[in-house]
């Protein structure tokens, strides 16, 4: 599911990124024919679009990270009681991550049993991408320069 969500984000961002790149190239090509004022205005407008697009990319990336983290946490919440039950049923005295073992004994590996029980309990897991768009909307407001306070007349 995460791959689908990543593809959706890519599909959302790609057209905007392509359009922005095309506009940047067009600006670079036309700079010599623009007046300094027009060049400055267009440059600032393009820079604002670049900044907004980069913020959007960062937000989407963070959304995917949060989504994946929540999905993993749901799996772990289901996994832990199962692992504990298998551990107790086999009268284990310690449960070690298989990657931490140099010479594992396959007869003592509970991985397949735990996964089979987890798969039986969690046949599907539906989730959608987390949305953090309020950060995207708040970022330009926070970055905008604040007007200087008005001078007091005495």
């Amino acid at each position: 599911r995460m791959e689908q969500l990543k593809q959706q984000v890519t599909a959302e961002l790609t057209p905007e990124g392509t359009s922005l790149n095309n506009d940047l190239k067009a600006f670079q090509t036309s700079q010599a024919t623009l007046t300094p004022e027009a060049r400055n205005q267009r440059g600032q407008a393009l820079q604002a679009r670049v900044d907004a697009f980069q913020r959007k990319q960062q937000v989407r990336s963070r959304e995917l990270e949060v989504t994946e983290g929540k999905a993993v946490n749901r799996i772990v919440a289901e996994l832990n009681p199962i692992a504990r039950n298998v551990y107790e049923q086999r009268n284990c005295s310690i449960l070690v991550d298989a990657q931490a073992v140099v010479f594992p004994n396959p007869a003592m590996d509970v991985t397949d049993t735990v996964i089979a029980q987890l798969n039986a309990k969690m046949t599907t897991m539906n989730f959608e991408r987390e949305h953090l768009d309020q950060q995207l909307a708040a970022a330009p407001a926070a970055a905008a320069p604040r007007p200087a306070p008005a001078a007091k007349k005495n």
Side-chain angles (χ1 to χ4, degrees), residues 48-94:
R49 285 180 56 205
V50 167
D51 293 345
F53 182 68
Q54 288 174 339
R55 280 192 304 274
K56 188 174 188 177
Q57 286 177 310
Q58 291 168 351
V59 168
R60 295 299 179 263
S61 177
R62 183 71 184 127
E63 286 174 344
L64 291 172
E65 290 171 10
V66 169
T67 300
E68 186 171 36
K70 286 186 176 185
V72 167
N73 287 343
R74 283 175 54 194
I75 293 168
V76 169
E78 297 292 335
L79 176 75
N80 283 338
I82 293 170
R84 178 171 296 285
N85 286 338
V86 172
Y87 166 87
E88 290 171 356
Q89 288 170 355
R90 294 219 185 158
N91 295 317
C92 295
S93 56
I94 188 170

Side-chain angles (χ1 to χ4, degrees), residues 71-125:
V72 167
N73 287 343
R74 283 175 54 194
I75 293 168
V76 169
E78 297 292 335
L79 176 75
N80 283 338
I82 293 170
R84 178 171 296 285
N85 286 338
V86 172
Y87 166 87
E88 290 171 356
Q89 288 170 355
R90 294 219 185 158
N91 295 317
C92 295
S93 56
I94 188 170
L95 185 61
V96 180
D97 184 331
Q99 293 176 348
V101 179
V102 178
F103 299 108
N105 180 346
M108 299 180 88
D109 189 349
V110 298
T111 304
D112 291 339
T113 305
V114 171
I115 290 174
Q117 289 182 25
L118 179 65
N119 287 340
K121 187 173 183 179
M122 292 182 75
T123 56
T124 61
M125 188 172 119

Side-chain angles (χ1 to χ4, degrees), residues 2-61:
M2 281 304 301
E3 286 303 315
Q4 289 174 331
L5 295 176
K6 289 175 185 176
Q7 290 171 359
Q8 288 173 359
V9 167
T10 299
E12 174 189 351
L13 295 175
T14 298
E16 187 175 348
T18 300
S19 172
L20 187 56
N21 282 333
N22 290 340
D23 291 348
L24 285 168
K25 288 176 186 174
F27 173 67
Q28 290 170 346
T29 303
S30 67
Q31 276 188 3
T33 62
L34 297 173
T35 65
E37 182 180 319
R39 185 174 39 247
N40 189 33
Q41 286 176 345
R42 285 189 62 192
Q44 287 178 353
L46 279 170
Q47 186 60 51
R49 285 180 56 205
V50 167
D51 293 345
F53 182 68
Q54 288 174 339
R55 280 192 304 274
K56 188 174 188 177
Q57 286 177 310
Q58 291 168 351
V59 168
R60 295 299 179 263
S61 177

